[in-house]
Amino acid sequence: MDKKYKVLIVEDEVKLARFVELELKHEGYDVVIANDGRTGLDMYFSEKPDIILLDLMLPQLSGIEVCRRIRKESDVPIIMITAKGEVMDTVTGLDSGANDYITKPFAIEEVFARMRVALRIINQEKRERDENVLSIKGLTIDKSSRTVKFNDNVIELTKREYDLLLYLVTNKNIVITRDQILNKVWGYDYIGETNVVDVYIRYLRTKIDDKYDVKIIYTIRGVGYYAKDE
Ligand code: CA
């Protein structure tokens, strides 16, 4: 594994928890154990695990209740562990936000396989989120929703302003000529004033640099513009 993942096991069968712990440690995971639901919930907050193996029937707080409460805070992968005959509860478990479930008795390889899937999915989602978000000096551009924010303030931009800003930030710290901007943002067939670029740069500065007292867009006189990151 590239990264050492921390697993929280919430299981009141002490021997079973211990067995799974040893097997997981052997596979290279960090492991912490809680033997009841209340402790499990507390340990989720104190230990910040990357994934949780959560028994369904637990003293103090049921697995479903633990799952529900964690889901209010986080999308950490949760794999429910259920006993045979708890089918209805399993359905409720998935409703409460568990990613997957395993039925006792289980082969430890099955646990490893389910965990790898759950972790891969969560990592992929995170990677996609990261790839869709560009940031520069407190300004973020979310390409999937075309949302621009400075810190937490949403900045309303027209389509053209957005395209121009995205182009500059995608190529941050690189000077871009007016012609390049015109071709990219307005298109090769644009006929009109070339100072349209300067006009739109001014719009962006009014909405971002001036409004939030930050300097993102720089001018290279006679050449063009660039977005400067720290
Ligand atoms: Ca149990």
Side-chain angles (χ1 to χ4, degrees), residues 11-13 55-58 104:
E11 169 62 77
D12 58 322
E13 287 176 53
D55 185 29
L56 190 64
M57 304 295 272
L58 287 167
K104 288 181 200 172

Side-chain angles (χ1 to χ4, degrees), residues 28 33 45 126 135 141 179 211:
I33 296 181
F45 288 107
K126 187 178 179 311
S135 63
I141 304 177
D179 280 348
K211 180 152 186 200

Side-chain angles (χ1 to χ4, degrees), residues 112-129:
F112 295 156
R114 302 289 181 105
M115 284 175 61
R116 279 194 295 269
V117 169
L119 286 167
R120 198 178 317 130
I121 291 170
I122 210 92
N123 285 336
Q124 173 139 3
E125 283 172 354
K126 187 178 179 311
R127 208 162 35 240
E128 280 167 10
R129 262 201 311 276

Side-chain angles (χ1 to χ4, degrees), residues 179-219:
D179 280 348
Q180 286 174 317
I181 294 173
L182 264 184
N183 289 341
K184 179 76 183 178
V185 179
W186 276 266
Y188 285 95
D189 51 0
Y190 172 78
I191 325 164
E193 300 293 327
T194 53
N195 78 353
V196 71
V197 174
D198 307 279
V199 171
Y200 272 80
I201 290 282
R202 201 150 58 231
Y203 292 160
L204 284 181
R205 281 183 171 147
T206 306
K207 288 186 176 180
I208 302 167
D209 295 42
D210 298 349
K211 180 152 186 200
Y212 295 103
D213 196 22
V214 60
K215 191 154 171 57
I216 291 176
I217 302 171
Y218 285 70
T219 308

